[in-house]
Amino acid sequence: MDSRQNSGFSWQRHLNKLRWVILGSVFGLLVLLPYISVYQNFLAAHAYDFLAPNEVRIYDTLEWITQPFVGSDPVESLDAIKGTTWSGTFFGVQLSDPLAVVGQMASQLKVYWPFLLTALIPIGLTVFFGRFYCGWICPATFIYEIVDNISLALRRMGFPTGGRRLNRGIKYLVLVMGAVFSFLLGNVAFSAIYPPAIIGRELYYFVAMKGIGAGTIFFAMTILFDVMVSRRGFCRYLCPGGALYGLLGALRPVRLQRTVAQCNDCTLCDKACQFGLHPMTDQFGIDCNNCTACIAACPTDAISFHLRLSDQPAQGHGHLSPTFKREQQPNTHDQGSS
């Protein structure tokens, strides 16, 4: 019988599709929210008859999109979702990126408790699921993964793309230096170099203010770094948010694990991991964001989620691999002779 039918976890290989739906939805929402803000201003000003043709199109489109979700007071109803993945309100629940809270505490050298409370849900989810924000929610991931697929296509066509490996500890230095600069400058310096914060801010500038800021240039540089220097290099080596989420989720109970009895050592999981981890040899580690790309790539369903407080120690060759079978042949012969 096919080992994939024995695993009991074959449904998990479809989680990567769900992840892409969530990433796309989050990014789409970040694009939509600035338009909703503009639409609210039009509504509040009762300015429809004075709008320019392009503004009329925005008004009519947003009215059609939001009409099923608003009540008698659309201006107030549309406040249900506001902000960005950096800090915002979701149906009355205020949520903030833990990095924003760290920056606030560093800049003022004190804890603003109401702000800290807005980060408790993300912190709790990270402690349980690990660096899931990076793989499942971060709007920059949506763009970076598309760029990575383009880079792979370019590499197959013979174009050189970045493949350097750097020290993974650099991002922790960036995290510390960001806190230091937040203290010295008296503001949250992380927001200037943190892609999730940059994307939400720059989208608002572009839609509501018809311009872009320096963040757009910085984000473009991170994309070039990924393409020309190192695959997913910014997330792997430089992102302060990734460093913080990795530390918070170091003891996550929900983690990926290889079932060695179903593994054939095909290396497809290693190739699928954009973070340069090695699932095939049980090397997931603190940087694993539970993105499930390795699950989707595995032809034998040998990788799945399990409840453990640490990664499985190296288990050796997969039992379906030619190498393992060759190693077992002498033992089988010896047992037959005895």
Side-chain angles (χ1 to χ4, degrees):
M1 183 180 293
D2 189 341
S3 61
R4 289 172 57 175
Q5 297 176 357
N6 292 327
S7 67
F9 295 102
S10 59
W11 59 271
Q12 294 187 13
R13 67 187 299 103
H14 300 292
L15 288 175
N16 198 42
K17 300 172 185 175
L18 174 63
R19 183 179 70 93
W20 268 95
V21 171
I22 294 174
L23 286 172
S25 299
V26 170
F27 189 84
L29 188 60
L30 288 180
V31 174
L32 182 63
L33 285 174
Y35 284 103
I36 290 179
S37 180
V38 172
Y39 173 58
Q40 282 181 287
N41 292 335
F42 292 160
L43 284 173
H46 304 283
Y48 186 84
D49 293 335
F50 304 98
L51 298 179
N54 64 313
E55 294 174 332
V56 169
R57 286 192 294 270
I58 293 175
Y59 187 106
D60 292 342
T61 302
L62 268 296
E63 183 179 46
W64 177 77
I65 292 174
T66 61
Q67 192 171 23
F69 307 101
V70 299
S72 58
D73 187 355
V75 175
E76 183 178 349
S77 299
L78 291 173
D79 281 333
I81 302 177
K82 281 293 182 183
T84 67
T85 52
W86 178 242
S87 185
T89 301
F90 192 77
F91 293 104
V93 179
Q94 293 184 330
L95 299 172
S96 298
D97 192 307
L99 188 65
V101 175
V102 170
Q104 177 272 321
M105 291 191 296
S107 65
Q108 301 180 21
L109 290 185
K110 65 179 181 180
V111 179
Y112 181 57
W113 291 103
F115 191 36
L116 175 60
L117 290 175
T118 65
L120 289 185
I121 292 177
I123 290 173
L125 291 174
T126 302
V127 170
F128 192 75
F129 292 105
R131 196 177 162 177
F132 83 101
Y133 174 86
C134 302
W136 287 75
I137 298 175
C138 176
T141 292
F142 181 73
I143 298 176
Y144 287 146
E145 291 202 10
I146 292 174
V147 170
D148 185 71
N149 290 331
I150 295 173
S151 296
L152 289 175
L154 291 174
R155 191 176 303 133
R156 294 190 187 101
M157 291 187 290
F159 292 94
T161 57
R164 294 188 60 185
R165 291 181 176 271
L166 307 177
N167 190 325
R168 293 182 183 270
I170 297 175
K171 60 181 175 288
Y172 301 105
L173 177 62
V174 175
L175 176 62
V176 172
M177 293 304 299
V180 171
F181 276 102
S182 294
F183 166 71
L184 295 176
L185 299 175
N187 58 38
V188 184
F190 290 116
S191 63
I193 61 170
Y194 187 44
I198 290 172
I199 289 176
R201 184 173 65 244
E202 294 299 309
L203 284 172
Y204 182 82
Y205 287 163
F206 181 76
V207 172
M209 304 176 69
K210 304 297 189 294
I212 61 173
T216 298
I217 299 174
F218 180 84
F219 185 66
M221 291 173 61
T222 68
I223 292 176
L224 287 176
F225 183 79
D226 285 6
V227 174
M228 305 303 297
V229 180
S230 177
R231 184 185 187 191
R232 293 300 301 275
F234 187 86
C235 296
R236 290 167 65 178
Y237 304 119
L238 298 174
C239 182
L244 179 61
Y245 279 118
L247 293 174
L248 290 173
L251 296 178
R252 63 192 184 278
V254 178
R255 60 181 67 227
L256 293 168
Q257 179 179 315
R258 181 178 64 123
T259 302
V260 69
Q262 295 172 210
C263 178
N264 63 4
D265 287 359
C266 66
T267 76
L268 290 177
C269 54
D270 286 359
K271 294 176 182 177
C273 182
Q274 296 185 5
F275 277 63
L277 305 178
H278 300 285
M280 197 191 78
T281 51
D282 306 296
Q283 299 178 50
F284 294 96
I286 195 173
D287 287 327
C288 178
N289 59 19
N290 283 349
C291 75
T292 73
C294 56
I295 295 179
C298 181
T300 61
D301 287 339
I303 302 176
S304 56
F305 282 111
H306 293 264
L307 294 177
R308 290 180 56 93
L309 292 179
S310 62
D311 287 336
Q312 181 79 19
Q315 303 175 81
H317 293 292
H319 293 183
L320 301 182
S321 69
T323 302
F324 180 84
K325 292 177 180 178
R326 284 196 302 269
E327 290 176 348
Q328 295 304 303
Q329 284 177 355
N331 296 334
T332 303
H333 176 74
D334 293 341
Q335 292 173 2
S337 298
S338 61

